[in-house]
Amino acid sequence: MTLDRAPRRRRRTARQLHATSAGVATGLLVTGLLTTPAHAEHGNGTTIAARIGTATRTVGDARFVPGPCPKTADPVPALKGARCGTLTVPENRSRPHGRTITLGVAIVPAATSTPKPDPIVWLAGGPGDDAVGEAGMAVDGGLNRDRDVIFMSQRGTYSAEPALTCPNIDRFNARAVGLVYGAPSTERLHVEATRTCRQQLAGRGADLSAYNDTESAADYADLRVALGIDQWNVFGISYGTHLALIYMRQHPQGIRSVGIDGILPPSTAGSALTWSSARQGFDGLFKACAEQPACNLRYPNLSATFERLVRKLEAHPVTTTVTVPGHPQPVKVVLDGGALVNWLTSATHVAPGVPRSLDELAHGKPQRIAEQWAGGKLSPQAVGRVAHGLSYGIFCSEWVPYESRAEALRGGRAAFPSFPRSVLAQAPQLPFLRQDCHVWNVPAAPRSIRDVTRSDIPTLALSGGFDSQTGAANGPYVARTLSRATVVTVPYEPHVVFATSHCAQEITASFFDNPTAPNTGCLTGLKPPRFETGPGRA
């Protein structure tokens, strides 16, 4: 889902999180026709499918053409040696003679010389992140060990044409760190940024009603056929799990297995779910601190401290200035209750420092939290990369029409009964969403978009015990109607465990090798992080 940028623990892989809506919360191939027979004998006698992505192919209204690799916002070394091209599809399939759009495709080859014939297709997070920019995460996690991995820029994202990015929203996000998070004046500026974005995109001819999960799922179904792939596997992270669950429901043909990590069920997605997820992730972190003697001694009853701070800051916001990398001038930061909730929603990615940061704030030192809150918003990586047109297309057609304001508020109150109403009015990661969708003005998707996914496709449902963005309870929830699902919660890990956990990477690899019986033995003996305790207080 839409995620605030946050610093992360770094292990073998790292992932940067993007702010995707206003105030919310990444080589060349030689082209030519296929010349190898469809099933070629290699020197070792193993028969494998011919290399995908090397032939021009038109199937129905979709056309794949080999060509240069898609542009990326940053260099992606993992794309060296990739086979690339573009998929052209109708922008709106209900208007088959209307405008077409082009989606960038990159196929990272398997590390082995004898790859298995069923590749993996990667569905990025967001909504609004570009899958091609996430190739490094997949390769660092070993996903291409013995299978090709396919990355396609979802419609509207950075390497697609058109790209529905709106830098004006990103610049507003940077300004907003100096504003009271939930104030009416902030709301007006926030919604104005959304309105400007819409006007710009519509002015360029984009059919904003066509940027949604139904069209995107059809894009991936077309890609599989256009690449000549009989069967593939799907791996989605964060919002990509939302798309994966719709894709496997609407186009199950040719899907061998599905891995979903950081699960966002389409049937319940919305503000109430973000509150529930925040509660789960926060409680996981607070419980881990309480069970660690040094942390519990230094920071007793951390949950109560946090909730007290939310109430206090909402009544009396704190203003400070901090120095942010890349900005020579001091940056003004306002911390109120809503800002603190949203900071912690992302800060579970740097869990070892959270207790100390909250304790410092409680003793009049807001700088650590203010630096983190502002740092991601003001990072150059936060500008011009996220497809806000896709984000709002999904939020405003698939989420908001099917969740009332009262339901959203009840979800917040159930999760955090002590929070002031002004904090509960703006769900974590989704401030002013209903107001934004009023100006975005796209029709509601059919109610069936909210159906649960029922399937016997083998599915791995991965979650993190510290995930405050898509709570771990979402795994068992979606598994109720997936008859061949394996549910795994990796303890002490934040949102998208594949990015930070060697164990999650091992489980994922074993799942694609054996989708009905992945090896989860590495879960035994996992230990919590060692929380920072900092200097003692006088």
Side-chain angles (χ1 to χ4, degrees):
M1 66 193 321
T2 57
L3 305 174
D4 285 317
R5 286 183 177 272
R8 301 194 60 150
R9 282 181 282 162
R10 292 185 179 271
R11 296 186 186 173
R12 182 177 166 192
T13 60
R15 179 170 185 260
Q16 294 193 327
L17 307 175
H18 301 283
T20 62
S21 57
V24 179
T26 42
L28 300 181
L29 171 72
V30 176
T31 61
L33 297 177
L34 186 67
T35 57
T36 308
H39 291 280
E41 293 289 336
H42 285 236
N44 60 6
T46 301
T47 301
I48 64 170
R51 300 200 331 161
I52 56 175
T54 56
T56 297
R57 188 191 303 258
T58 301
V59 180
D61 293 325
R63 179 176 176 82
F64 176 78
V65 178
C69 284
K71 67 176 182 179
T72 57
D74 298 303
V76 181
L79 295 179
K80 183 178 181 180
R83 304 186 296 276
C84 298
T86 56
L87 182 75
T88 300
V89 294
E91 182 179 45
N92 188 329
R93 288 176 171 81
S94 69
R95 302 170 186 167
H97 302 296
R99 190 168 79 156
T100 60
I101 60 175
T102 302
L103 312 176
V105 179
I107 304 165
V108 174
T112 179
S113 61
T114 56
K116 295 181 179 177
D118 48 298
I120 299 168
V121 62
W122 176 280
L123 305 187
D129 292 349
D130 193 318
V132 180
E134 295 180 346
M137 189 201 312
V139 171
D140 287 347
L143 202 63
N144 70 323
R145 182 184 66 184
D146 51 16
R147 285 179 171 83
D148 292 351
V149 182
I150 302 168
F151 303 87
M152 181 171 74
S153 52
Q154 194 179 342
R155 54 178 47 217
T157 58
Y158 185 85
S159 63
E161 179 56 46
L164 304 191
T165 57
C166 284
N168 77 292
I169 284 181
D170 306 319
R171 288 190 288 269
F172 171 78
N173 289 342
R175 286 181 55 205
V177 301
L179 306 175
V180 175
Y181 185 82
S185 56
T186 303
E187 176 187 338
R188 288 192 294 271
L189 293 171
H190 177 113
V191 175
E192 185 58 37
T194 302
R195 180 183 288 108
T196 298
C197 171
R198 191 197 194 285
Q199 291 171 344
Q200 290 173 347
L201 299 181
R204 297 174 199 152
D207 179 355
L208 297 180
S209 69
Y211 291 82
N212 56 55
D213 282 302
T214 296
E215 292 286 0
S216 290
D219 294 340
Y220 282 96
D222 282 347
L223 176 67
R224 182 185 65 80
V225 177
L227 291 176
I229 298 170
D230 293 331
Q231 191 176 60
W232 67 7
N233 306 277
V234 176
F235 189 65
I237 63 166
S238 191
Y239 155 74
T241 68
H242 187 285
L243 176 57
L245 288 162
I246 290 176
Y247 171 43
M248 66 193 287
R249 169 157 49 92
Q250 295 182 346
H251 302 278
Q253 303 85 1
I255 301 178
R256 172 179 175 264
S257 68
V258 177
I260 46 178
D261 177 1
I263 301 163
L264 181 61
S267 55
T268 58
S271 296
L273 188 66
T274 67
W275 281 117
S276 171
S277 295
R279 176 91 266 179
Q280 293 173 58
F282 298 172
D283 282 353
L285 191 156
F286 296 150
K287 182 173 184 287
C289 173
E291 292 175 346
Q292 195 170 108
C295 188
N296 189 49
L297 180 65
R298 184 69 175 80
Y299 311 114
N301 209 356
L302 196 61
S303 178
T305 298
F306 167 68
E307 296 197 24
R308 175 172 55 81
L309 284 168
V310 170
R311 295 191 299 270
K312 179 180 178 181
L313 290 175
E314 189 66 6
H316 304 287
V318 168
T319 300
T320 188
T321 57
V322 297
T323 301
V324 175
H327 291 263
Q329 300 301 317
V331 174
K332 174 188 172 184
V333 178
V334 176
L335 294 178
D336 63 354
L340 186 63
V341 170
N342 279 268
W343 164 79
L344 185 54
T345 302
S346 291
T348 50
H349 291 271
V350 285
V354 164
R356 179 180 176 183
S357 295
L358 288 173
D359 184 72
E360 289 188 1
L361 179 62
H363 289 85
K365 298 178 180 179
Q367 282 71 29
R368 277 169 60 98
I369 289 177
E371 287 171 0
Q372 290 182 4
W373 179 236
K377 305 281 188 173
L378 274 70
S379 167
Q381 295 178 331
V383 179
R385 301 186 181 215
V386 174
H388 300 280
L390 177 60
S391 303
Y392 284 125
I394 291 163
F395 296 154
C396 301
S397 69
E398 302 176 24
W399 295 15
V400 167
Y402 299 108
E403 180 183 56
S404 70
R405 190 187 303 269
E407 288 170 332
L409 189 61
R410 281 199 300 271
R413 187 172 291 116
F416 296 96
S418 76
F419 282 4
R421 183 184 177 92
S422 57
V423 172
L424 297 177
Q426 308 304 332
Q429 312 171 74
L430 302 172
F432 312 117
L433 183 58
R434 190 166 298 276
Q435 298 92 318
D436 287 332
C437 286
H438 177 73
V439 302
W440 202 254
N441 191 27
V442 292
R447 181 168 286 276
S448 59
I449 201 71
R450 304 285 287 189
D451 289 349
V452 298
T453 296
R454 302 180 185 277
S455 177
D456 62 359
I457 297 173
T459 304
L460 174 66
L462 278 170
S463 299
F466 288 176
D467 189 345
S468 55
Q469 292 158 315
T470 56
N474 293 343
Y477 171 80
V478 299
R480 297 178 312 161
T481 53
L482 301 174
S483 62
R484 302 170 75 191
T486 301
V487 179
V488 175
T489 297
V490 183
Y492 318 121
E493 292 291 340
H495 185 61
V496 183
V497 293
F498 184 87
T500 56
S501 168
H502 291 302
C503 182
Q505 294 163 4
E506 292 172 13
I507 292 170
T508 302
S510 73
F511 168 74
F512 288 124
D513 286 343
N514 187 358
T516 58
N519 183 354
T520 60
C522 63
L523 293 170
T524 302
L526 292 178
K527 296 181 180 180
R530 182 174 297 278
F531 292 99
E532 298 176 22
T533 54
R537 295 191 300 271

